[in-house]
Amino acid sequence: MRNYDLTPLYRSAIGFDRLAQLAEHAAANNGNAGYPPYNIELLGENRYRITMAVAGFAMEELDISSEGEKLVVKGEKQEKGAERKYLYQGIAERGFERTFQLADYVTVTGAYLEHGLLNIDLVREIPEALKPRKIEIGTRPLLEAEAQ
């Protein structure tokens, strides 16, 4: 039997681990999968943070949108007036679009840019009606037991 490493599937899924949806998302992922690099942190039981390395991008060049169960982060460099002549260019200045698949009830609570890192905070808020609840086990009331 073959052993498959599913680690790449978990890099862009936040808040759930449904294998079928992960596989579908991974198959739809474009060839720009390694840029820009990012981390996904678990901050608490239902709190997450995505940190993306967006060195060289200004706040005005970044766009974050939530479309249904997808979080889309785009970076588009604005055209510069004068062309620079590089001897070596190691800092990528190309635009990007990164999509993250979100689980049900996961929403973005905020985003901030600090030291070339874009931080996006998320939280999963499950409605009370869907949360597990404890059912108390009691004895049968005396009046109902006598009536039958």
Side-chain angles (χ1 to χ4, degrees):
M1 181 172 184
R2 292 182 179 166
N3 289 331
Y4 294 102
D5 181 16
L6 300 177
T7 305
L9 296 176
Y10 293 100
R11 279 188 249 180
S12 58
I14 300 163
F16 69 96
D17 48 12
R18 290 178 250 168
L19 188 57
Q21 288 182 340
L22 288 171
E24 179 182 328
H25 177 66
N29 205 355
N30 60 12
N32 205 12
Y35 179 76
Y38 62 93
N39 295 332
I40 299 174
E41 297 176 72
L42 177 62
L43 301 176
E45 185 176 342
N46 290 312
R47 293 181 28 236
Y48 307 90
R49 177 174 293 145
I50 300 171
T51 303
M52 298 180 74
V54 293
F57 283 87
M59 244 188 274
E60 305 81 43
E61 298 171 326
L62 297 170
D63 181 57
I64 303 170
S65 61
S66 180
E67 303 168 2
E69 292 182 352
K70 292 186 181 190
L71 172 65
V72 179
V73 182
K74 295 180 186 176
E76 191 171 325
K77 293 298 287 181
Q78 296 175 356
E79 292 191 26
K80 298 175 184 169
E83 282 293 316
R84 293 182 177 186
K85 185 176 180 181
Y86 291 102
L87 298 176
Y88 172 77
Q89 185 177 5
I91 299 173
E93 289 189 349
R94 65 183 185 268
F96 67 89
E97 181 174 323
R98 168 76 62 194
T99 303
F100 296 92
Q101 185 75 28
L102 302 177
D104 295 336
Y105 314 113
V106 174
T107 57
V108 177
T109 59
Y112 59 96
L113 185 64
E114 181 178 48
H115 305 296
L117 298 173
L118 176 63
N119 295 285
I120 304 168
D121 291 330
L122 304 114
V123 66
R124 179 171 49 184
E125 296 175 338
I126 300 172
E128 284 296 322
L130 298 178
K131 289 183 180 177
R133 60 183 184 162
K134 177 85 173 160
I135 308 297
E136 295 295 326
I137 301 172
T139 58
R140 188 172 191 179
L142 190 56
L143 294 176
E144 286 183 16
E146 292 175 356
Q148 295 181 0

